[in-house]
Amino acid sequence: MNVTSLSFPYGESIQWFSAELADKLPKSPLKEWLLATGSLTQKLKTCCTQFEVKVLGEGLHAPLDGEYPQQGSVWIREVLLCLDSIPWVFARTLIPEKLMAERQADFLGLGTRPLGELLFSQDHFVPGRIEVASFETCSRLAHLAESLDQSVEHELWGRRRYFHHGEHEMIVSEIFLPAAEQAIRKLESEL
Ligand SMILES: C=C(O[C@@H]1C=C(C(=O)O)C=C[C@H]1O)C(=O)O
């Protein structure tokens, strides 16, 4: 996997839907993974022997159109969450500048440690609403999956979670790559 061939920031504009209002969700068990409220990292670690965060990039950038209204620039962190060296999730996190200023050491000090270790280890970060979206086979994220040697046979599914910290709100989006969807289905069939 040639991670360096991916261009940061990789995210793309997409229409997110409130999980409650979405009239179309994937079938189980992926649906349950999309709507799960705890740490995704913790959940993924139970599915592998070696968990790794590959950081694709971090930096201050303008959010995509409509992604984070009224924010000129945000701290963007994009990673691949890899299980036994296979990328399962592409994650894109948006942190408003004021929150970044307040918790700079925490966020800058993350490196290849999963963000979830920060968000779920302290009670300063309060998980909020979840939105979902599907990404067509022709989307930039589908191309990202293809560049990771994962063929995209149908739409990809992702979710976006809001975490509150005081009056600030950060956004964590996670797109499940084909390898994850296949493995999750296999895990379910073995139950
Ligand atoms: C928010 C979590 O952290 C995970 C790790 C991320 C990172 O290291 O950038 C980003 C999104 C999450 O999938 C979690 O574990 O639930």
Side-chain angles (χ1 to χ4, degrees):
M1 174 181 72
N2 174 9
V3 175
T4 53
S5 68
L6 308 180
S7 56
F8 171 78
Y10 214 92
E12 68 181 301
S13 277
I14 191 77
Q15 177 63 51
W16 295 93
F17 297 92
S18 162
E20 292 86 46
L21 304 179
D23 56 0
K24 183 172 169 264
L25 284 172
K27 293 193 293 291
S28 297
L30 182 58
K31 183 174 81 170
E32 284 69 29
W33 280 71
L34 276 181
L35 304 181
T37 53
S39 167
L40 180 59
T41 295
Q42 288 312 315
K43 206 172 163 71
L44 293 173
K45 283 183 174 178
T46 67
C47 303
C48 64
T49 51
Q50 190 217 355
F51 178 83
E52 182 188 5
V53 177
K54 275 193 185 299
V55 180
L56 300 179
E58 295 177 297
L60 209 54
H61 292 270
L64 297 164
D65 288 348
E67 188 177 28
Y68 203 130
Q70 285 93 45
Q71 286 288 331
S73 58
V74 290
W75 183 261
I76 297 181
R77 168 180 164 99
E78 290 183 345
V79 303
L80 290 172
L81 303 183
C82 301
L83 281 63
D84 298 330
S85 302
I86 298 172
W88 275 40
V89 174
F90 166 79
R92 174 181 166 90
T93 299
L94 306 180
I95 303 166
E97 282 187 277
K98 286 183 179 168
L99 174 55
M100 191 64 193
E102 276 181 33
R103 304 300 298 261
Q104 188 159 353
D106 287 322
F107 290 121
L108 288 183
L110 267 181
T112 56
R113 283 187 307 116
L115 175 66
E117 279 183 12
L118 176 63
L119 299 184
F120 290 94
S121 62
Q122 308 173 4
D123 55 6
H124 308 299
F125 293 94
V126 180
R129 65 190 185 283
I130 295 178
E131 296 172 333
V132 297
S134 62
F135 298 77
E136 296 305 317
T137 52
C138 59
S139 63
R140 272 172 60 82
L141 280 160
H143 292 310
L144 177 141
E146 299 278 1
S147 73
L148 298 168
D149 302 327
Q150 298 189 27
S151 62
V152 181
E153 310 297 332
H154 50 73
E155 77 262 345
L156 301 177
W157 282 92
R159 71 197 188 147
R160 191 163 75 154
R161 295 185 284 173
Y162 292 78
F163 288 84
H164 302 282
H165 183 287
E167 78 274 12
H168 305 303
E169 188 173 67
M170 60 185 281
I171 304 175
V172 181
S173 51
E174 298 148 324
I175 289 82
F176 289 86
L177 300 172
E181 196 170 330
Q182 288 150 24
I184 288 168
R185 248 202 322 272
K186 187 168 181 290
L187 283 170
E188 182 78 3
S189 67
E190 290 165 356
L191 288 180

